[in-house]
């Protein structure tokens, strides 16, 4: 089992604190494994397995506990048998009706340390804000980074090079279960297609009571085809109108928002770098996992520039950055990444294959009125840094080697 220390470093300070630890992220991104890693950490700190109480609410054997009252009674009976602090682990808690009432009651009544996971961002909205406001801390668990992928991939493919592994990562993505399939292309494709269908049906359609599934699928297909491109709901509405179908922009926005809440897409706003303000139109979207995109829609290598952008965007999220798309006059910076007082400007491209490409990528930073680091990432092996702008090999950037 991979240790996922990047997440454990963030979670560790909150272990044995009264704040409820909430782990969210797209379905099958490794949240259940994180609960196991937390249990391992607790054991090293002196906790006993007898102090652990855990339920996975997607397991049918717990179907009688899918409401707050039944779950509270079951946990209460177990807690009373424990000496010392109880550690509660609730996996896919959103399956439990009014779960927040149960969790809050356990928090205020017993000496317990609570960890919950969920596959929908609505987990942290609505009533939760009332019952648990200021009493939880959230950690988003993403699919494997390339570093995590490479660590596992070379165990089953010891003769592979970093470059070969990266080509597989481009096509297969970072869903953890692919390691169990030994990264065999056909089984991985079937798994990713089934996973995509599960996310759409369970976490988008079912949770939002969407009736027009065909429209949802068309909107998803449009967003996926335009990953990394700026567009608006009005543009999608016009596209559907050209296909003799009338769909209001508000309906499109609601459907996309439902996909965001299921962590299928991530929306990136645009920022006027000179005016330091967020722009209200033409945002970008990226997908949680490029392997799922390839399995369902195909064409990753055809859109390799955009897929590399997608990979870098997700990596910056993993590293804790808040990200916007930068606008400077008629030029655009792929990513403006901010973390506390740290700021980073990033351009991503496949190869700096011509003087025109070099000019386009490096000149995107012209006129930026500050001296924060500016990076151009590509798959070129030769360092082409110039004029105070750093050029890095994208693969080595993902591995943290530079």
């Amino acid at each position: 089992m991979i240790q996922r220390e990047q997440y454990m470093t963030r979670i560790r300070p909150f272990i044995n604190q009264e704040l409820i630890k909430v782990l969210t992220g797209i379905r099958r991104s490794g949240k259940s494994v994180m609960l196991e890693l937390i249990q391992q950490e607790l054991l090293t700190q002196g906790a006993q397995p007898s102090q652990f109480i855990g339920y996975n609410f997607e397991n049918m054997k717990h179907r009688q506990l899918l409401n707050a009252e039944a779950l509270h009674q079951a946990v209460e009976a177990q807690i009373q048998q424990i000496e010392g602090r109880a550690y509660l682990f609730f996996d896919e808690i959103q399956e439990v009706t009014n779960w927040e009432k149960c969790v809050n009651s356990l928090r205020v009544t017993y000496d317990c340390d609570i960890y919950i996971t969920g596959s929908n961002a609505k987990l942290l909205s609505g009533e939760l804000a009332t019952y648990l406001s200021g009493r939880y801390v959230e950690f988003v668990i993403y699919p494997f980074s390339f570093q995590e992928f490479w660590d596992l991939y070379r165990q089953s493919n010891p003769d592979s090079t970093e470059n070969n592994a990266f080509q597989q990562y481009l096509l297969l993505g970072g869903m953890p279960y692919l390691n169990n399939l030994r990264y065999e292309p056909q089984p991985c494709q079937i798994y990713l297609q089934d996973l995509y269908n599960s996310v759409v049906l369970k976490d988008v359609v079912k949770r939002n009571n969407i009736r027009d599934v065909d429209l949802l699928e068309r909107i998803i297909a449009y967003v996926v085809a335009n990953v990394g491109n700026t567009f608006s709901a009005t543009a999608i509405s016009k596209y559907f109108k050209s296909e003799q179908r009338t769909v209001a922009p508000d309906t499109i926005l609601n459907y996309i928002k439902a996909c965001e809440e299921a962590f299928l897409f991530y929306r990136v706003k645009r920022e006027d770098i000179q005016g330091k303000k967020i722009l209200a139109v033409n945002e970008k979207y990226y997908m949680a996992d490029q392997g799922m995109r390839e399995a369902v829609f195909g064409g990753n290598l055809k859109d390799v520039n955009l897929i590399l952008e997608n990979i870098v965007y997700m990596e910056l999220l993993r590293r804790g950055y808040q990200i916007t798309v930068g606008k400077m006059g008629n030029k655009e910076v792929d990513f403006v990444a901010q973390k506390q007082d740290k700021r980073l400007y990033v351009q991503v491209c496949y190869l700096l294959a011509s003087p025109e490409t070099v000019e386009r990528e490096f000149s995107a930073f012209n006129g930026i009125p500050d001296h924060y680091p500016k990076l151009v990432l590509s798959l070129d092996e030769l360092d082409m840094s110039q004029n105070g702008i750093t050029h890095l090999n994208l693969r080595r950037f993902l591995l943290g080697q530079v």
Side-chain angles (χ1 to χ4, degrees):
M1 179 164 46
I2 194 166
Q3 293 305 304
R4 309 208 81 174
E5 185 59 26
Q6 188 175 42
Y7 299 106
M8 286 305 304
T9 298
R10 297 174 190 168
I11 294 170
R12 205 171 276 121
F14 296 95
I15 288 177
N16 277 314
Q17 301 293 324
E18 67 170 335
L19 291 172
I20 296 166
K21 277 64 72 175
V22 182
L23 280 59
T24 58
I26 192 169
R27 187 175 290 269
R28 304 292 173 258
S29 61
K31 299 183 294 295
S32 302
V33 170
M34 288 307 307
L35 293 184
E36 294 179 33
L37 292 173
I38 292 166
Q39 291 176 10
Q40 289 181 7
E41 180 73 22
L42 285 166
L43 293 173
T44 66
Q45 295 183 14
Q48 301 299 313
S50 59
Q51 295 174 268
F52 298 164
I53 299 173
Y55 297 101
N56 182 336
F57 295 108
E58 289 196 320
N59 189 324
M60 281 294 289
K61 72 178 182 180
H62 301 314
R63 61 188 179 277
Q64 75 278 10
L65 302 178
L66 297 184
N67 66 76
E69 294 78 8
L71 177 60
H72 192 277
Q73 290 177 9
V75 174
E76 195 172 41
Q78 292 184 75
I79 283 184
Q80 292 171 355
Q81 306 301 315
I82 292 175
E83 291 187 15
R85 173 168 291 172
Y87 296 92
L88 310 183
F89 302 92
F90 300 141
D91 203 358
E92 299 295 355
I93 191 71
Q94 76 275 355
E95 301 296 330
V96 179
T97 305
N98 295 324
W99 65 267
E100 50 271 72
K101 295 180 180 180
C102 170
V103 169
N104 190 51
S105 176
L106 294 169
R107 181 188 66 80
V108 300
T109 306
Y110 297 101
D111 178 14
C112 57
D113 190 17
I114 304 175
Y115 302 82
I116 65 178
T117 79
S119 299
N120 197 288
K122 281 187 176 178
L123 197 72
L124 297 177
S125 63
E127 285 193 69
L128 179 58
T130 302
Y131 284 97
L132 301 178
S133 177
R135 299 185 179 92
Y136 67 84
V137 58
E138 180 190 11
F139 305 94
V140 182
I141 309 301
Y142 303 103
F144 280 164
S145 65
F146 178 54
Q147 176 70 71
E148 292 172 314
F149 179 93
W150 170 233
D151 288 344
L152 284 178
Y153 186 82
R154 59 184 168 185
Q155 292 179 20
S156 53
N157 298 272
D159 296 328
S160 178
T161 64
E162 283 180 8
N163 186 48
N164 289 340
F166 186 69
Q167 295 304 313
Q168 291 301 306
Y169 186 65
L170 274 177
L171 293 172
L172 300 178
M175 283 299 174
Y177 191 79
L178 300 187
N179 183 60
N180 297 55
L181 302 174
R182 302 183 66 83
Y183 303 104
E184 293 291 336
Q186 188 171 7
C188 288
Q189 183 180 41
I190 293 170
Y191 170 76
L192 290 169
Q193 289 170 347
D194 289 345
L195 175 59
Y196 167 82
N197 290 331
S198 180
V199 170
V200 171
L201 292 175
K202 291 185 179 180
D203 298 322
V204 181
V205 173
K206 181 181 175 183
R207 297 206 67 78
N208 295 277
N209 298 313
I210 290 175
R211 296 181 180 179
D212 195 341
V213 178
D214 177 67
L215 175 61
L216 172 68
E217 290 177 342
R218 287 172 180 265
I219 291 171
I220 291 174
Y222 184 97
V223 175
V224 168
N226 287 278
V227 156
N229 291 319
T230 54
F231 61 86
S232 64
T234 302
I236 303 178
S237 180
K238 289 179 179 177
Y239 168 76
F240 282 129
K241 191 172 183 179
S242 72
E243 293 197 334
Q244 313 303 315
R245 182 162 189 172
T246 301
V247 185
D250 283 349
T251 300
I252 293 168
L253 284 174
N254 288 336
Y255 278 32
I256 293 177
K257 183 174 174 56
C259 293
E260 289 180 70
E261 289 170 344
F263 300 98
L264 185 62
F265 299 138
Y266 288 86
R267 178 167 52 117
V268 191
K269 295 182 178 180
R270 297 166 76 228
E271 172 186 352
D272 183 332
I273 296 175
Q274 286 181 313
K276 296 185 178 179
K277 63 180 181 181
I278 298 298
L279 303 173
V281 296
N282 291 347
E283 297 153 330
K284 286 188 177 185
Y285 290 86
Y286 292 97
M287 202 164 180
D289 181 71
Q290 74 277 5
M292 198 183 301
R293 180 187 192 269
E294 171 65 19
V296 179
F297 298 96
N300 267 9
L301 294 183
K302 175 173 64 70
D303 302 324
V304 67
N305 269 318
L306 297 179
I307 296 308
L308 292 175
E309 266 187 45
N310 203 131
I311 290 170
V312 170
Y313 172 76
M314 294 303 298
E315 181 64 22
L316 291 170
L317 279 186
R318 289 186 193 93
R319 296 184 185 185
Y321 286 98
Q322 293 181 314
I323 307 160
T324 56
V325 175
K327 186 178 183 299
M328 278 283 298
N330 61 354
K331 293 187 176 181
E332 189 174 273
V333 177
D334 289 336
F335 302 121
V336 181
Q338 186 87 32
K339 181 165 57 174
Q340 297 159 355
D341 60 350
K342 186 177 180 181
R343 194 172 174 92
L344 188 64
Y345 299 99
V346 183
Q347 281 289 99
V348 182
C349 71
Y350 177 42
L351 292 171
L352 297 169
S354 68
E356 292 76 18
T357 305
V358 173
E359 167 65 19
R360 183 186 70 237
E361 300 299 332
F362 282 83
S363 68
F365 301 118
N366 289 349
I368 293 179
D370 61 50
H371 299 288
Y372 289 107
K374 301 168 181 68
L375 301 181
V376 174
L377 302 177
S378 76
L379 292 178
D380 298 278
E381 298 292 341
L382 185 65
D383 186 346
M384 301 186 190
S385 301
Q386 57 182 263
N387 302 325
I389 300 167
T390 303
H391 169 245
L392 299 176
N393 177 271
L394 189 151
R395 190 178 65 249
R396 289 198 288 274
F397 168 79
L398 296 175
L399 292 174
Q401 295 177 356
V402 285

